[in-house]
Amino acid sequence: FVASAIVLFRTREAFDPKVMSWLIGSLVLTIGAELAFTFYISVYDFSNLFGHFLKIVAFYLIYKAITEMGLEKPHELLFRNLKQSETALRKALEEVERLAITDSLTGLYNRRFMLETLEREVYRMKRKEASLSVVMLDLDHFKSFNDIFGHSAGDDLLKTLGNLLLHQVRHVGFGNIGFVQHN
């Protein structure tokens, strides 16, 4: 019974919290009933009676969990699973979108992001009569640096440069997209 409670507790996200408490309660009462049965001396002893009362309440909790979720409200279980799947899918999509527009090494926005958003932002800034800054960098002779010092050092240089750029600009949010604006 203790092992069942541990397994049930580890898979608690699959259960409605109310059903989970009923099942855990049923297991605890069943453990108590079994302990009471080990202490009784005769059939009419108090521990035997108490053990049976605990068993009845434990069965009632299981009945409540099965009937409430399995028979009375099965749609809640389906929608709960659907909502969990939707949340997991949304998180995965956000991560994929983030990976598609940022450089994995530096964390800076990549060329694809710039090409997809630059035209829209130029139009928006013209309409608002505001200024827009775009920073694109190209490191001259970077291949030579990698050849001399190794790709690991080149990655470290790019990370350091990326962090330097991120600390020298302030982020301004436009909708769901974050652009960087020079200080």
Side-chain angles (χ1 to χ4, degrees), residues 42-160:
S42 72
V43 177
Y44 301 105
D45 189 35
F46 176 75
S47 63
N48 188 27
L49 176 67
F50 185 67
H52 280 93
F53 280 135
L54 290 177
K55 277 280 194 193
I56 290 170
V57 175
F59 283 131
Y60 173 74
L61 292 177
I62 289 176
Y63 165 80
K64 188 86 169 133
I66 291 172
T67 57
E68 177 118 356
M69 292 312 287
L71 300 175
E72 292 177 13
K73 299 178 185 176
H75 58 280
E76 283 187 17
L77 184 62
L78 292 174
F79 287 125
R80 177 176 159 68
N81 291 342
L82 184 61
K83 188 70 173 168
Q84 287 175 341
S85 297
E86 180 186 10
T87 302
L89 183 60
R90 186 173 289 122
K91 286 181 182 177
L93 181 60
E94 288 171 359
E95 179 65 12
V96 167
E97 287 174 346
R98 185 190 65 77
L99 291 172
I101 65 170
T102 58
D103 177 67
S104 62
L105 183 67
T106 63
L108 298 173
Y109 291 116
N110 61 21
R111 184 174 183 267
R112 172 192 288 166
F113 176 79
M114 187 220 37
L115 293 175
E116 290 175 355
T117 58
L118 187 59
E119 184 178 342
R120 180 182 59 224
E121 290 304 313
V122 166
Y123 172 75
R124 192 170 68 77
M125 290 298 163
K126 281 182 182 179
R127 191 181 49 169
K128 290 185 172 188
E129 297 181 5
S131 62
L132 173 69
S133 297
V134 177
V135 176
M136 293 180 65
L137 295 176
D138 182 31
L139 298 177
D140 290 338
H141 311 292
F142 189 69
K143 183 183 179 322
S144 299
F145 183 89
N146 274 341
D147 290 342
I148 294 170
F149 299 103
H151 290 281
S152 194
D155 288 350
D156 289 341
L157 176 65
L158 290 175
K159 287 179 195 176
T160 302

Side-chain angles (χ1 to χ4, degrees), residues 156-172:
D156 289 341
L157 176 65
L158 290 175
K159 287 179 195 176
T160 302
L161 183 59
N163 284 332
L164 180 67
L165 287 172
L166 286 174
H167 286 68
Q168 295 301 314
V169 295
R170 64 184 175 102
H171 290 270
V172 180

